[in-house]
Amino acid sequence: MVTADQQLTVSAPRQRLIAVTALLLAAVNLRLAVTSVGPVLHEIREGLGMSSTVAGLLTSVPVFCFATVGLAAPRLARRFGANRVIIVGLAVLAIGLALRPYAPGVALFLLLSLVSLAGIAVVNVLLPMIVKQWFPTQVGTMTGLYTVALNLGATLAAATTVPLTHAFGGSWQLGLACWALLAVVALPAWLPLVRERATGVPPTKAEAAVRVSRHPVAWALAVYFGMQSTSAYVIIGWLPQIYRDAGLSADEAGLLFATTSLLGVPLGLVLSAVAGRVRSQSAIAATLALFGIAGYAGLWWDPAAAPWLWVVLLGIVNTAFPLVLTMIGLRGSSPATVVKLSAFAQSVGYLLAIPGPILIGLLHDHTGGWRVPLALMIFLMVPQLIAGVYAGRDRQI
């Protein structure tokens, strides 16, 4: 049921256009801090003296931030307004991105990564609420649009960080720091929305009393979010290195990695739109998991045998991210419930995902190869499939 406040936003085309623009510009920034690292991870490790295990910790830093800082987002949004919190989050992200590459040691590099990713964490949680608030009857389509923007940003950073590093005379520091500019560009778009009442409507007593942690669908979404996040961050953190270890060049490995994000642009848009129009998303979730099993099995067999086929399969399974965001928007009956469900599913999900990239690094160090780590990833597709089928059932909180 659409509330009077939601009807207000529906009847204001100009405000909705501003909201779309702000939403897309924010979304472009949500993976830059993560996907820009993988293509130059070798250079970062050499420059900072970083081991494989610590590199695995680096790939888990985003997951840790999203799990912990994201929990504070609903409370911050109630107190200060979602738009103000998003503006601060983008500013913090820009500062972290600009300073991180010039850290003199591993510890400070990780700390500044935490700073930039903390900004992303609150924005991650609040964007589904923005979608539900401004576009209550178009959750699937709008979720698809902003995940397309997210994937475009991720692809841009993955594909061009190495060329930018070359253009800056081999300085990976400049190659990473330049991404702070996109966060700065996104800030002005949110300023007009700070004065808009629509995103600051307090929840009703009934909505405030909802405890999503008591609902099985919330736990199913959290497990699904955790499993797809594990897969995504293993791909982000280790896929370029897997291809480089198989004999491919850094440029080709970066391009292959970028393809996994690029595929999410058309696929994420179509999948979210379709998922928003059907009553159950269970079959979609199960199909994506099967593509993931095939992709990881291909890498396990031989990364260099059919590298483009493997990245296509992994690019398809990566669309589990827009799917779970769409399901969060659909499973919540109001914006206030959606932001609680978003915070719970993302925070618990990211907590579940923290060990994944670290464990992959540890297994690689101890076995000297990628077969055991990739076998683990094949196995983890099974709980992702089961949780996705359960979370996709037609129910609301």
Side-chain angles (χ1 to χ4, degrees):
M1 181 177 179
V2 180
T3 68
D5 290 304
Q6 291 167 349
Q7 289 286 4
L8 176 64
T9 67
V10 173
S11 64
R14 181 177 176 274
Q15 286 80 358
R16 280 160 54 89
L17 179 60
I18 293 172
V20 170
T21 303
L23 186 73
L24 297 182
L25 287 175
V28 166
N29 286 277
L30 292 184
R31 292 298 177 271
L32 294 178
V34 182
T35 60
S36 59
V37 170
V40 290
L41 182 59
H42 178 75
E43 288 74 16
I44 294 172
R45 289 175 60 188
E46 284 192 344
L48 298 177
M50 187 183 296
S51 68
S52 293
T53 301
V54 175
L57 177 62
L58 176 61
T59 61
S60 290
V61 165
V63 188
F64 175 79
C65 275
F66 298 161
T68 54
V69 180
L71 282 172
R75 181 175 298 177
L76 291 172
R78 287 195 300 270
R79 182 169 181 179
F80 301 107
N83 295 320
R84 290 186 178 88
V85 176
I86 289 172
I87 288 174
V88 173
L90 289 171
V92 169
L93 169 62
I95 293 169
L97 287 176
L99 297 179
R100 175 177 68 168
Y102 298 98
V106 174
L108 189 55
F109 187 91
L110 290 173
L111 178 61
L112 289 170
S113 294
L114 283 168
V115 170
S116 59
L117 292 162
I120 294 177
V122 293
V123 181
N124 263 341
V125 169
L126 294 177
L127 287 191
M129 174 189 179
I130 299 296
V131 170
K132 189 76 171 183
Q133 190 83 55
W134 286 90
F135 311 98
T137 62
Q138 298 170 293
V139 170
T141 299
M142 294 309 303
T143 301
L145 279 176
Y146 93 71
T147 54
V148 162
L150 183 152
N151 280 313
L152 283 173
T155 302
L156 183 66
T160 62
T161 297
V162 170
L164 283 171
T165 297
H166 294 331
F168 292 133
S171 172
W172 60 266
Q173 290 90 347
L174 278 173
L176 289 179
C178 66
W179 298 114
L181 294 174
L182 286 183
V184 173
V185 169
L187 285 170
W190 285 90
L191 294 176
L193 296 180
V194 170
R195 296 184 296 273
E196 291 295 332
R197 185 169 68 94
T199 54
V201 177
T204 65
K205 290 184 178 180
E207 291 168 345
V210 171
R211 294 187 180 181
V212 296
S213 61
R214 295 180 176 179
H215 293 261
V217 66
W219 283 99
L221 284 166
V223 173
Y224 187 72
F225 201 103
M227 294 300 98
Q228 68 83 26
S229 295
T230 299
S231 175
Y233 283 98
V234 166
I235 291 172
I236 289 169
W238 293 114
L239 186 62
Q241 193 65 51
I242 291 171
Y243 277 127
R244 290 179 74 168
D245 288 350
L248 281 68
S249 69
D251 286 338
E252 187 176 3
L255 185 59
L256 284 162
F257 168 55
T259 302
T260 62
S261 295
L262 183 62
L263 282 171
V265 174
L267 294 178
L269 181 60
V270 172
L271 184 144
S272 295
V274 171
R277 289 185 173 91
V278 297
R279 296 179 65 87
S280 171
Q281 296 77 39
S282 297
I284 300 174
T287 302
L288 293 183
L290 294 176
F291 276 104
I293 291 172
Y296 283 116
L299 286 177
W300 179 89
W301 175 50
D302 185 356
W308 289 100
L309 176 58
W310 311 148
V311 298
V312 167
L313 293 170
L314 294 175
I316 292 172
V317 75
N318 266 355
T319 57
F321 178 68
L323 175 63
V324 71
L325 291 180
T326 300
M327 290 194 294
I328 287 171
L330 294 173
R331 300 289 94 87
S333 58
S334 69
T337 304
V338 167
V339 74
K340 287 185 177 183
L341 187 56
S342 178
F344 178 81
Q346 293 198 45
S347 296
V348 174
Y350 282 128
L351 282 174
L352 293 174
I354 286 174
I358 301 174
L359 186 56
I360 294 299
L362 286 170
L363 289 173
H364 176 256
D365 280 349
H366 282 83
T367 64
W370 291 107
R371 284 207 156 190
V372 173
L374 289 170
L376 174 63
M377 294 310 302
I378 295 170
F379 171 79
L380 290 179
M381 284 292 107
V382 176
Q384 178 172 324
L385 188 155
I386 295 170
V389 168
Y390 195 84
R393 294 176 180 176
D394 183 25
R395 290 167 297 177
Q396 273 198 328
I397 297 177

